[in-house]
Amino acid sequence: MRLVTHNREVCIMKHQSQQLFCSDPPAGVGAIITRFLDGGGVGGLNAGDRLLAVNGKLVTDGAEQLSRRLQDSAGEVKLVVSGYTTAHSLRKDEEGKLGVRLSDGPRHSPPVLSEVARSSSAWSAGLRAGDAVVGVSGEADSSSTPHRLTPRHSFW
């Protein structure tokens, strides 16, 4: 069995929270990290992570409510994050391909990898069919279809 998602707690300092740019999710609670001020991650967070709670209080009204809760925090901020995302640097093969195929994810969900070539850098990085693509080039993908990604990237 492959575990697709779980929640985890991440502690950051209040000044680090000012590095986060978030947007409202397409459905459900929380807010989605879209990017970071300096381009790098904070406290193990990645673009595409869904922030569910701040200091034990559920974020039910999206990015604006998250922002207010972060501003009202003092010192250390405890975030509950849904899912586990990892960043991978992939190299294209000699034909300019990454060796993956994308399919539509479930409604209001990011696209998923439908195939990963065993000879590809994606396979070597640990990507497998069924993995969700939540961002490309360090920015979260707000689209629920892979077609937004394919014009900019050669996948197969």
Side-chain angles (χ1 to χ4, degrees):
M1 180 166 115
R2 189 162 197 193
L3 181 63
V4 176
T5 187
H6 66 281
N7 294 342
R8 69 191 196 282
E9 185 174 86
V10 174
C11 294
I12 63 173
M13 298 307 293
K14 181 177 180 175
H15 72 276
Q16 291 176 301
S17 70
Q18 297 168 356
Q19 303 261 336
L20 305 175
F21 287 88
C22 297
S23 66
D24 294 337
V29 299
I32 306 296
I33 297 174
T34 54
R35 65 184 180 93
F36 296 91
L37 182 63
D38 63 3
V42 172
L45 298 171
N46 294 294
D49 283 346
R50 183 184 293 241
L51 302 177
L52 297 175
V54 177
N55 296 328
K57 295 181 182 175
L58 189 63
V59 176
T60 57
D61 293 329
E64 191 173 316
Q65 183 186 43
L66 173 75
S67 179
R68 284 192 310 271
R69 293 227 169 119
L70 291 171
Q71 288 173 1
D72 292 345
S73 298
E76 186 177 76
V77 179
K78 292 183 180 179
L79 303 171
V80 175
V81 184
S82 174
Y84 179 74
T85 62
T86 56
H88 299 280
S89 294
L90 305 178
R91 67 180 187 287
K92 294 180 180 179
D93 65 14
E94 55 278 349
E95 296 176 13
K97 309 290 183 180
L98 291 175
V100 298
R101 287 189 200 268
L102 291 174
S103 296
D104 289 331
R107 187 167 185 235
H108 300 299
S109 296
V112 296
L113 299 178
S114 56
E115 279 184 73
V116 181
R118 287 184 181 261
S119 61
S120 69
S121 64
W123 182 272
S124 297
L127 300 179
R128 298 295 182 267
D131 288 345
V133 177
V134 296
V136 175
S137 298
E139 299 225 3
D141 179 49
S142 59
S143 167
S144 62
T145 66
H147 309 295
R148 178 170 173 243
L149 302 174
T150 55
R152 295 183 300 170
H153 300 85
S154 299
F155 288 97
W156 195 260

